[in-house]
């Protein structure tokens, strides 16, 4: 779990928390859209070659692909992008928001 702490001496602390939460929620939606696009591209490679991306990544080389180096780099790139997007998404989705009103 990730805890995001917001401290303020302003009475508008809940407004600030909502702004931060809205911005993070927007980023989560962007990451989800990007992940869906990446998954679609991976599924296209997997359908074309009838192997999973995991199998491809650990067992194949550019010589195994019709498109050679260019296609290999594209497929590996999408796999790495998926890893990064998934990691970022998991972190953002576990944020717990904590506010503290400071004496003011």
């Amino acid at each position: 779990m990730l805890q995001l702490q917001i401290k303020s001496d302003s009475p508008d602390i809940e407004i600030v928390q909502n702004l931060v939460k809205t911005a993070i929620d927007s980023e989560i939606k962007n990451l989800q859209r990007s992940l869906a696009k990446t998954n679609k591209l991976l599924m296209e490679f997997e359908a074309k070659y009838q192997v999973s991306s995991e199998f491809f990544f650990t067992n194949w080389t550019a010589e195994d692909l019709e498109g050679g180096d260019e296609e290999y780099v594209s497929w590996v790139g999408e796999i790495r992008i998926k890893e990064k997007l998934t990691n970022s998404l998991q972190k953002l989705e576990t944020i717990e928001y904590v506010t503290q009103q400071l004496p003011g």
Side-chain angles (χ1 to χ4, degrees):
M1 172 183 56
L2 181 62
Q3 198 173 66
L4 180 63
Q5 190 172 50
I6 302 168
K7 296 180 181 181
S8 176
D9 58 0
S10 167
D12 297 337
I13 191 166
E14 293 211 14
I15 293 171
V16 172
Q17 178 182 339
N18 287 337
L19 286 171
V20 170
K21 188 173 183 337
T22 299
I24 291 173
D25 287 345
S26 177
E27 181 61 13
I28 287 171
K29 285 184 176 98
N30 288 336
L31 290 169
Q32 289 169 334
R33 277 192 293 274
S34 296
L35 187 57
K37 181 180 175 185
T38 294
N39 282 333
K40 181 179 181 286
L41 293 170
L42 289 174
M43 286 173 35
E44 289 172 5
F45 279 121
E46 291 170 353
K48 180 176 180 179
Y49 291 103
Q50 295 297 300
V51 297
S52 70
S53 290
E54 292 78 18
F55 184 85
F56 156 77
F57 190 70
T58 56
N59 297 294
W60 286 26
T61 64
E63 290 75 33
D64 297 314
L65 304 176
E66 292 172 16
D69 289 341
E70 184 177 323
E71 198 170 42
Y72 181 85
V73 169
S74 293
W75 197 348
V76 169
E78 291 302 326
I79 291 169
R80 296 220 167 121
I81 288 169
K82 180 179 179 175
E83 290 171 357
K84 288 179 182 180
L85 290 171
T86 301
N87 187 19
S88 295
L89 196 52
Q90 288 171 343
K91 285 184 174 133
L92 289 178
E93 288 177 332
T94 64
I95 290 177
E96 176 186 338
Y97 299 89
V98 179
T99 57
Q100 180 180 359
Q101 185 71 45
L102 299 174

